[in-house]
Amino acid sequence: MNKKLESHDRVFKWTRETFKNFRSPEPYDVFAGCTLFEIDAPDRSTEFLVYQDHFDENSGLIRLYAIEAPAECPMREAFEWGDFTWDEYWTHKDCLYEIITPFEPGPVSSRIIAPGEISKSAKDRFVRLGERFPYELKRRHLELGVEYSVYDEDKHDKAQREYDAFMAKYGHRFAKRAA
């Protein structure tokens, strides 16, 4: 193992309880082609952004990657607004956690890894997501909700209100990116 990783001073022991208090703040509050959420470190000293890489139905195991990313972190905000590609963001630190947890109650295993050890499936997903940044994915999700609800007036009105509220709050950020 890399000496830099061996001497990492923030080694956490993850448990199933750690994941019970996950949060899906904006823009991760809708499914947009991948699952991202945030959790507190087991000792509550910091926050992590977690990417769900893979669920293996045969083994019942879920592989997750966790990168230290407090909500107010400028790098995280830059990623969320598209200043970094998915691959650039998930490989910008010297290490992250790979966490294997069972879908049903059971032991959780984790290890600190170098960014180059991220699975091929995660790397492939990052390439497919390309430059579609998290806020753009949420905008597109809301936009599709409006389009798909056109035949149900109640659902359509609700979907349109959600989209309009989102754009009223963030539309200026999208306009800046388009300029």
Side-chain angles (χ1 to χ4, degrees):
M1 179 186 257
N2 181 323
K3 290 271 188 220
K4 195 172 194 177
L5 297 181
E6 283 178 355
S7 66
H8 197 267
D9 64 347
R10 299 188 89 175
V11 177
F12 296 112
K13 176 71 175 143
W14 302 89
T15 65
R16 210 165 155 71
E17 271 56 45
T18 307
F19 294 95
K20 285 184 178 178
N21 296 317
F22 77 93
R23 297 173 300 279
S24 297
E26 192 169 62
Y28 309 114
D29 54 343
V30 298
F31 179 75
C34 63
T35 301
L36 287 166
F37 57 91
E38 70 179 27
I39 58 171
D40 293 319
D43 68 0
R44 299 222 180 270
S45 63
T46 189
E47 294 172 328
F48 283 82
L49 191 59
V50 179
Y51 168 77
Q52 181 180 319
D53 175 34
H54 184 72
F55 172 63
D56 183 347
E57 290 182 34
N58 295 325
S59 69
L61 297 176
I62 302 168
R63 181 175 40 228
L64 308 164
Y65 292 107
I67 190 167
E68 188 173 355
E72 68 280 354
C73 174
M75 288 291 288
R76 176 175 163 174
E77 184 177 323
F79 160 65
E80 291 171 344
W81 282 104
D83 295 334
F84 297 101
T85 66
W86 286 76
D87 187 60
E88 288 170 336
Y89 182 72
W90 285 90
T91 61
H92 83 275
K93 292 194 174 215
D94 64 336
C95 63
L96 53 124
Y97 283 87
E98 178 186 61
I99 303 165
I100 307 294
T101 182
F103 188 70
E104 299 294 327
V108 174
S109 66
S110 67
R111 66 186 182 114
I112 296 174
I113 64 168
E117 295 178 75
I118 293 174
S119 71
K120 181 174 177 356
S121 62
K123 289 177 187 177
D124 290 348
R125 173 63 59 90
F126 296 158
V127 168
R128 284 192 309 273
L129 288 166
E131 294 183 17
R132 286 174 270 168
F133 53 97
Y135 274 101
E136 170 59 19
L137 291 170
K138 179 172 182 175
R139 187 201 64 75
R140 185 67 182 137
H141 174 87
L142 294 171
E143 182 179 69
L144 288 171
V146 171
E147 289 177 23
Y148 291 137
S149 66
V150 72
Y151 297 109
D152 184 331
E153 190 173 328
D154 291 337
K155 287 182 181 177
H156 183 71
D157 289 346
K158 181 180 185 260
Q160 188 66 56
R161 280 192 308 275
E162 288 175 355
Y163 180 80
D164 291 345
F166 179 80
M167 291 306 289
K169 187 174 182 180
Y170 299 116
H172 67 287
R173 298 286 305 255
F174 291 99
K176 284 180 185 176
R177 288 191 57 78

